[in-house]
Amino acid sequence: MQKQPVRWGLGLLYFFLGLITVATLYPFWHVLMYSISDPKRAMSGGMFLLPRGLAFDSYSMLFRNSLIFDAYSNSLFRLFVGTLINVALTAMLAYPLSIRRFIGRTPITLLIFFTMLFNGGMIPTYLLVNGLGLVDTLWALIVPSAISAWNFFIMKNYFQGLPPELEESANMDGASPLRTLFAIILPVSMPVIAAIALFYGVWHWNAYFDAVLYLHSQDKQVLTLFLRSMMNFSATESTRSMNDSMTVANISEESVKMATIIATMLPMLLIYPFLQKYFVKGVLIGSVKG
């Protein structure tokens, strides 16, 4: 008699989870179906699960704009170079501060924690970046955000949870601290490394406001800026010639906007499944240990 309420409870749980899943995934699916539908039929509105007349003219028109290739290359540079620098510097900071005998460990950690609560503000940060000569360069998107305090604490806690015998054996063999970090500590810390890399990578790919502040040249823009220019389609000089071509080809602005959204999201959607298995494990271990 007790199995029936349990089954009803599980059924309701699966039902609500299904509703949440559909509500989360359908907007992405709608954008994809809209982007590959016939523009005239798609503009009729309403919800649809399948494309209304398969057509890829919107993507063809989108990739005729050379600026999207500049935006892709700049975003990929920021993603890979920025994430590599982020992970390397975060590990090099977290490792010594995870060693309990390190002199000055507590005050330095408190200073890093202080940056999570307070910052210098937008204008002082811009003046600093400008004074370093980084404005209108891709390094302005990487250097000021080289280390995240939140990710630092996750990695530090993970390192504190590793067996101390690893470091002791390295010291007995005469390994330097850097060699100990890169040859012994990091290879056994791949779950948290993957999780931190995913945090940094997603942030770099989606970051928008710093690019608005520091980038002025069209050939330096990243995908988020290109997406903004496509959303404000008729207001930007870079899309006016494209607008004329769309009028001749009878393609709607909405279809090209949908295609731009898919082109912007696709790299993250392809990368995430390969790192997802490390995501939860790395965060949980890094947050509980220590």
Side-chain angles (χ1 to χ4, degrees):
M1 295 296 294
Q2 295 180 352
K3 291 184 178 180
Q4 196 68 18
V6 173
R7 289 178 180 177
W8 276 103
L10 286 176
L12 287 174
L13 178 62
Y14 286 131
F15 175 75
F16 285 116
L17 288 177
L19 286 180
I20 294 172
T21 302
V22 171
T24 303
L25 295 180
Y26 179 75
F28 298 99
W29 182 255
H30 177 78
V31 170
L32 176 61
M33 293 299 102
Y34 198 113
S35 68
I36 61 177
S37 296
D38 179 79
K40 288 185 178 179
R41 297 177 62 182
M43 289 178 65
S44 61
M47 299 174 61
F48 49 94
L49 298 177
L50 296 175
R52 296 176 175 175
L54 192 62
F56 296 95
D57 296 337
S58 300
Y59 288 95
S60 176
M61 182 62 64
L62 173 65
F63 285 102
R64 287 179 193 173
N65 189 344
S66 61
L67 289 178
I68 192 173
F69 298 104
D70 293 332
Y72 254 112
S73 62
N74 293 334
S75 290
L76 290 174
F77 176 84
R78 177 178 187 176
L79 173 65
F80 291 109
V81 176
T83 302
L84 180 63
I85 292 175
N86 291 144
V87 173
L89 293 182
T90 302
M92 294 173 68
L93 177 63
Y95 174 63
L97 294 179
S98 67
I99 302 174
R100 300 188 184 280
R101 67 176 185 277
F102 184 79
I103 300 176
R105 172 175 175 265
T106 300
I108 295 175
T109 303
L110 290 175
L111 286 175
I112 297 173
F113 176 72
F114 182 82
T115 64
M116 297 179 66
L117 307 177
F118 306 98
N119 60 69
M122 182 178 66
I123 294 177
T125 302
Y126 181 87
L127 293 175
L128 175 61
V129 173
N130 186 48
L132 294 174
L134 299 178
V135 172
D136 205 25
T137 69
L138 294 178
W139 294 108
L141 311 180
I142 297 174
V143 175
S145 56
I147 298 177
S148 164
W150 176 266
N151 294 335
F152 156 77
F153 280 108
I154 293 177
M155 190 171 287
K156 171 179 170 291
N157 290 341
Y158 186 94
F159 288 160
Q160 287 180 178
L162 293 176
E165 291 79 12
L166 291 174
E167 183 189 356
E168 293 173 2
S169 62
N171 292 335
M172 292 177 62
D173 293 336
S176 64
L178 277 179
R179 182 174 178 81
T180 302
L181 172 63
F182 287 102
I184 297 177
I185 302 299
L186 292 186
V188 300
S189 304
M190 289 310 298
V192 75
I193 295 295
I196 296 301
L198 184 60
F199 283 154
Y200 280 124
V202 171
W203 180 83
H204 277 302
W205 191 261
N206 293 328
Y208 165 76
F209 191 64
D210 56 350
V212 173
L213 287 178
Y214 303 132
L215 300 181
H216 309 310
S217 303
Q218 285 191 350
D219 60 340
K220 299 289 178 58
Q221 69 178 343
V222 292
L223 271 175
T224 49
L225 288 186
F226 181 79
L227 179 61
R228 183 190 68 162
S229 69
M230 298 303 294
M231 293 299 103
N232 302 323
F233 204 94
S234 58
T236 58
E237 184 177 348
S238 61
T239 56
R240 284 173 188 167
S241 59
M242 189 174 174
N243 201 356
D244 296 336
S245 301
M246 286 171 49
T247 303
V248 175
N250 206 13
I251 300 174
S252 67
E253 290 186 12
E254 288 300 318
S255 295
V256 178
K257 290 178 181 180
M258 298 298 182
T260 306
I261 294 172
I262 294 298
T264 304
M265 294 191 307
L266 188 60
M268 276 294 108
L269 294 177
L270 294 176
I271 293 175
Y272 183 79
F274 297 100
L275 296 178
Q276 193 269 343
K277 63 180 180 180
Y278 297 107
F279 184 74
V280 176
K281 183 179 178 182
V283 174
L284 289 179
I285 294 176
S287 59
V288 173
K289 294 288 185 180

